[in-house]
Each structure stands twice: as structure tokens, then as C-alpha cells.
Amino acid sequence: MVQAMTEKPAARTGNVAVEAYAGYKGEETPRAFIHEGVRREVRDIAQRWYTERYSYFKLFADDGQRYILRYDVEDLIWELVMREEDP
């Protein structure tokens, strides 16, 4: 028996699991992520940019820190590439 899924499962990699929303063009946008066992909700996406292979998202999470997440559009893998605390 096959069950319909209403939510897309989190994508997993070695360092982060991301709950993402696919927009009308099919692009992935992070809504929350889990890093080192802690779930963080995305409060604001400050910037996004794209290369041929990757989508980058500079965002603010619910802990007040800034993060950069990178999405590999070929291999469908999310990575946390930077975390920066506010001074």
C-alpha cells in the first residue's frame, strides 16, 4: 500500500538535514534545518545566489545566528557551510 505524502522529507547529508519548500519553479528553499541534533527554524533569508551547480542561502535562524546553506542541485544534497554569531 502506498501512502500519499503531504510534506517533503528532510534532505540528509553528513552535517545537516534540511526541511525545504519547493517553489513554483521547483527551486528548493530552506524552512528549517537540523545540525548536530538541534533543529533551527529559518526566520529570514537575507540573500540567495546561484552557480551552475549550487544554490546558496544566507539566512537568519531562530537562535539569532547567521548561516549559509548550500544546495547541490545535481546530487540533491544540502550542506551547512558557515555559521556566524552576531557580535
Side-chain angles (χ1 to χ4, degrees):
M1 181 170 128
V2 176
Q3 291 183 322
M5 294 185 67
T6 57
E7 269 189 42
K8 185 174 180 176
R12 296 207 175 272
T13 68
N15 71 348
V16 67
V18 175
E19 297 170 18
Y21 167 78
Y24 72 97
K25 293 181 180 178
E27 76 277 6
E28 297 287 326
T29 302
R31 297 291 186 219
F33 61 94
I34 301 168
H35 181 251
E36 297 179 345
V38 179
R39 185 177 187 277
R40 298 286 177 209
E41 288 191 32
V42 174
R43 295 291 185 215
D44 184 42
I45 295 179
Q47 187 178 9
R48 62 179 79 202
W49 64 98
Y50 306 94
T51 66
E52 189 172 311
R53 181 169 180 156
Y54 299 105
S55 298
Y56 291 87
F57 298 88
K58 182 176 186 178
L59 56 89
F60 292 91
D62 59 0
D63 63 351
Q65 296 185 32
R66 288 179 290 224
Y67 296 85
I68 294 180
L69 296 178
R70 178 174 72 184
Y71 183 62
D72 184 326
V73 298
E74 290 181 18
D75 293 332
L76 309 177
I77 295 173
W78 286 95
E79 294 178 277
L80 174 64
V81 296
M82 189 208 77
R83 178 177 65 192
E84 180 180 53
E85 294 183 29
D86 280 334

